[in-house]
Amino acid sequence: LIQASRVVNGFWLIFFGLSVVADLNLVPGLSGFLRAVAKRGKDDERDDPAGKRRRPWWQVTVPHGWFTHFYVVGVLWNAVALFHSLIECAWAGSDPSVVGAALASTLFQAHVTRRLYESAFVSIHRPGGRMHVVGYLIGVVYYICVPLTLSHPLAAAAVAKSVADAWRRGSIATLLEPIDGTKLAAAADGARHVLKFAFTASGRSGVGALMSGFCVMGGVYAWGVGNAHQHRYHVALAKLRGREKRRENVEKKDRVGAAKEYDVPRGGWFEVVSCPHYAAEVLLYVGMCAVACGSGFGAGGIITGAPGFGPAAAATRTAPMLA
């Protein structure tokens, strides 16, 4: 568990550091590469007038549609962590740190499941779009680290033990073994503790209870607002992208060589910020951190991912239909 914790913490430190380097252009050559990786296939050859991306290391790419893999990994891996978290809730009783961590994991499960649905059925991936393999690998590792960061150490230890057993036996099916009636009943009991905690933040008294309740319920509210708005703007962008593609097909014969045109989304947060779907994602992650910290369990490491939205948001701002 200690080794796994060090790996996860190391990833967040590196992720945060590279995000800052990219956002602030601290190392010109490296910063440009990191920003291109963060765009995840949102740009095209016209964004590379110097032809630097024709070099061999720029050509190691994967289809942009593989973006969905991130959410598949997140849904499956967090489900394992959440199952163990709910069991720990039942065994730990009303310990707010254990239940709060499970609540944060539950919120993340709902979020990443929604993102999987959107990526598979709502988003319109650009035909021929590619993203660099480095960005792809970082995304996969990201969705492995977030569930472990949100899990209470007791649940993380159970997950680590399951992974070790699966590795030793050579079978991924052992991750949830043994699933018996006792553990399923414990998980159901843990779910009841989580539901109660989400609305009462019970387990403390006095000023501590007041602050805990404010952070937990405020975090749940922020998470809900962030998810609702992000879904709204992803649907809006997908519709605009669909209209742009249809118009492009109709006018293709008459406009060969002409510059592409993009519709500008209007309404809601689009009138306030240039990339409201990224702003909403930052908000929902802040909500999950508030839930975890308000319950006495710190999981602030995931907020270090916020600077990573900067380069991607910059690419989206110049071509919003490609988000």
Side-chain angles (χ1 to χ4, degrees):
L1 174 60
I2 294 176
Q3 292 179 346
S5 177
R6 288 175 178 173
V7 171
V8 172
N9 291 336
F11 170 79
W12 289 125
L13 289 174
I14 294 172
F15 188 87
F16 178 79
L18 293 179
S19 298
V20 171
V21 168
D23 287 342
L24 302 181
N25 197 31
L26 298 179
V27 184
L30 177 61
S31 297
F33 174 77
L34 293 174
R35 285 195 298 272
V37 167
K39 290 181 179 180
R40 300 182 301 243
K42 292 184 174 69
D43 55 356
D44 54 30
E45 290 299 324
R46 290 176 301 171
D47 296 320
D48 182 34
K52 293 181 179 179
R53 299 183 193 181
R54 298 188 182 92
R55 298 172 182 174
W57 58 85
W58 282 102
Q59 304 304 315
V60 187
T61 61
V62 297
H64 187 260
W66 285 20
F67 206 83
T68 305
H69 296 178
F70 301 158
Y71 306 118
V72 173
V73 170
V75 166
L76 296 178
W77 183 238
N78 192 72
V80 174
L82 179 58
F83 179 74
H84 289 290
S85 294
L86 293 177
I87 292 175
E88 294 299 334
C89 283
W91 292 347
S94 59
D95 185 338
S97 65
V98 178
V99 183
L103 174 58
S105 295
T106 302
L107 298 180
F108 183 72
Q109 185 70 32
H111 162 65
V112 77
T113 300
R114 174 187 62 79
R115 289 297 291 121
L116 175 59
Y117 164 76
E118 290 176 350
S119 183
F121 301 107
V122 176
S123 299
I124 300 177
H125 300 288
R126 186 177 58 159
R130 312 286 295 181
M131 61 177 165
H132 199 277
V133 69
V134 172
Y136 174 76
L137 294 176
I138 290 176
V140 171
V141 176
Y142 177 92
Y143 281 97
I144 290 175
C145 288
V146 171
L148 293 177
T149 304
L150 291 175
S151 297
H152 190 275
L154 294 174
V159 173
K161 183 178 182 300
S162 296
V163 172
D165 291 343
W167 179 269
R168 186 174 59 254
R169 298 180 188 180
S171 173
I172 195 173
T174 60
L175 282 176
L176 292 176
E177 288 185 356
I179 298 180
D180 52 28
T182 301
K183 286 192 174 183
L184 289 176
D189 187 47
R192 287 192 290 270
H193 281 289
V194 169
L195 185 61
K196 179 181 178 182
F197 187 80
F199 295 99
T200 65
S202 61
R204 295 186 177 186
S205 59
V207 177
L210 180 62
M211 294 301 296
S212 176
F214 177 79
C215 289
V216 172
M217 288 185 280
V220 172
Y221 177 77
W223 171 88
V225 171
N227 267 281
H229 279 276
Q230 188 181 51
H231 177 69
R232 171 187 174 183
Y233 299 127
H234 279 159
V235 171
L237 289 170
K239 288 180 178 178
L240 288 177
R241 174 58 175 162
R243 286 208 298 266
E244 190 274 334
K245 286 184 65 177
R246 288 192 294 271
R247 183 174 64 244
E248 185 179 78
N249 291 335
V250 171
E251 300 177 356
K252 189 173 182 180
K253 293 182 180 179
D254 299 329
R255 302 178 67 251
V256 175
K260 289 185 178 180
E261 295 180 0
Y262 298 102
D263 292 326
V264 178
R266 298 293 184 186
W269 289 7
F270 282 115
E271 305 299 329
V272 182
V273 295
S274 58
C275 300
H277 48 309
Y278 286 118
E281 185 147 14
V282 172
L283 177 62
L284 68 89
Y285 271 99
V286 169
M288 287 190 290
C289 287
V291 168
C293 294
S295 61
F297 168 68
I302 59 172
I303 202 61
T304 61
F309 296 124
T316 305
R317 183 170 61 248
T318 58
M321 298 310 95
L322 303 182

